[in-house]
Amino acid sequence: MERFDLAALAVTLRAGAGLKAKQDIGMVATKLGVNGGSMIAVGDDCAAIPDADGFLLLAIEGFMNEFVARDPWFAGWCGVMVNVSDVIAMGGRPIAVVDAFWANGENEADPVLAGLRAASEAYGVPIVGGHTNINTDRGQLSVAILGRAKRLLTSFDARPGDRLVAAIDLRGAYREPFSNWQAALGAPHERLRGDLEILPAIAEGGLAKSAKDISQGGVVGTAAMLAECSGVGAVIDVFSVPRPSGVFLERWLTSFPSFGYLLSVTPCNLEVVLAAFAARGIAAADIGVVTEERQLRIADGTSTQTIWDFTERPLIGCAIEEALA
């Protein structure tokens, strides 16, 4: 039986590397003078640039040197995968990626490039160029993506009373030693590509307005960013979060799933949104509620603990009201 202490879990989540890393965004955003109130809102999974009757979506991911050195093939795979996830989270469809890549010689470069190519073929998203230097002292990787959306899901449109939905593909395993839950490597390519259509269909059907992909901050850290950008709070029932059998809750709440999204959904659309994921074999559940109180809290059915109070300090500093301060 898993031992559980909500107060201790809250302490662990607040001190976790995921939330700490997200605070770096606030420093950078302040120095650049950008936020959710900028001409192109900053703080979302992608920059959404108005274009014709829709939006171009532009995003980039950089990878920790330790990760690239320890698991270079998977780092290459993730270069495509996580960018695709950012586009999908906003109700879009990916068009193409470019990479910036450094390595110490061709032998070091090979596995990273092989991973990039494998993911490009699996997801059906072409690599169309980039920057390469294989005469450096260490491996480094960054990948950018371009996508398009007809109708957006954003980080800025969650409203009090919405239900918070977590949708996660549990058909996988951890890629040790990191807390990356990998449900894509063994999946048929047709299934991966089909799954990418769920969130665009939800957006275009008007079934939700707000979503975010579950990133290195895990379910709780991602919910914190979504709440802050929307100027709201949320309460998460930690036992309602879809979780693989045998995985401890503390680790799971800070894990980065290969397919994982949070959506803010009005109660009248809840059942149809849950059904859309279930039809693809993806676990989805109502895990809590969006609140007016600007706090992110976790609950266990009998008590609650505050993880972050946005009235006391920002997390990523990208809420729309930051522009008015």
Side-chain angles (χ1 to χ4, degrees):
M1 181 71 179
E2 180 179 0
R3 298 179 64 185
F4 185 77
D5 181 327
L6 191 70
L9 176 63
V11 170
T12 298
L13 293 174
R14 280 193 295 269
L19 272 182
K20 285 184 177 179
K22 297 307 180 186
Q23 293 174 67
D24 293 344
I25 298 172
M27 179 273 292
V28 174
T30 298
K31 291 183 181 295
L32 292 177
V34 296
N35 49 53
S38 299
M39 182 178 297
I40 303 296
V42 173
D44 230 326
D45 290 291
C46 301
I49 305 165
D51 180 69
D53 59 349
F55 299 86
L56 289 174
L57 301 176
L58 183 62
I60 188 169
E61 295 282 353
F63 296 86
M64 296 181 295
N65 289 350
E66 177 190 3
F67 178 41
V68 177
R70 188 158 189 167
D71 200 349
W73 185 93
F74 188 53
W77 172 280
C78 287
V80 174
M81 181 188 74
V82 299
N83 274 296
V84 167
S85 184
D86 283 340
V87 168
I88 299 306
M90 295 194 66
R93 295 175 177 88
I95 296 172
V97 299
V98 295
D99 68 276
F101 174 59
W102 296 259
N104 185 7
E106 185 175 348
N107 288 340
E108 185 179 281
D110 281 347
V112 179
L113 298 175
L116 280 164
R117 181 174 179 175
S120 170
E121 293 172 352
Y123 287 101
V125 182
I127 300 169
V128 296
H131 168 84
T132 303
N133 186 335
I134 60 170
N135 295 292
T136 62
D137 62 348
R138 76 198 68 182
Q140 297 186 82
L141 176 66
S142 184
V143 181
I145 193 166
L146 182 68
R148 181 179 291 278
K150 297 177 182 178
R151 193 169 182 177
L152 291 177
L153 299 169
T154 81
S155 297
F156 302 100
D157 290 302
R159 295 293 179 262
D162 285 354
R163 303 306 302 181
L164 196 61
V165 170
I168 307 172
D169 192 342
L170 304 182
R171 297 167 291 188
Y174 279 114
R175 183 89 173 186
E176 302 288 0
F178 303 103
S179 287
N180 297 320
W181 180 261
Q182 184 48 248
L185 292 178
H189 293 179
E190 295 78 8
R191 192 182 86 195
L192 292 180
R193 297 176 189 185
D195 291 346
L196 300 185
E197 285 296 316
I198 304 173
L199 272 83
I202 288 172
E204 291 161 15
L207 299 174
K209 292 184 177 180
S210 188
K212 204 163 187 66
D213 81 316
I214 299 172
S215 65
Q216 290 286 4
V219 169
V220 173
T222 301
M225 291 187 289
L226 177 63
E228 181 182 18
C229 286
S230 289
V232 296
V235 180
I236 296 173
D237 178 349
V238 293
F239 289 125
S240 295
V241 177
R243 178 169 42 137
S245 176
V247 175
F248 286 107
L249 183 62
E250 180 179 308
R251 187 181 193 188
W252 185 242
L253 292 179
T254 58
S255 293
F256 185 178
S258 61
F259 185 103
Y261 299 91
L262 292 179
L263 298 90
S264 179
V265 180
T266 58
C268 64
N269 289 328
L270 180 61
E271 291 305 316
V272 68
V273 168
L274 294 176
F277 290 104
R280 298 290 306 177
I282 293 167
D286 175 354
I287 66 166
V289 64
V290 177
T291 66
E292 290 186 4
E293 295 79 18
R294 298 198 58 209
Q295 297 177 335
L296 178 70
R297 291 174 286 162
I298 57 173
D300 62 0
T302 59
S303 61
T304 65
Q305 289 285 329
T306 300
I307 301 298
W308 205 274
D309 187 336
F310 302 107
T311 66
E312 294 182 354
R313 57 175 174 150
L315 178 61
I316 63 173
C318 290
I320 291 175
E321 62 264 23
E322 297 291 335
L324 305 176

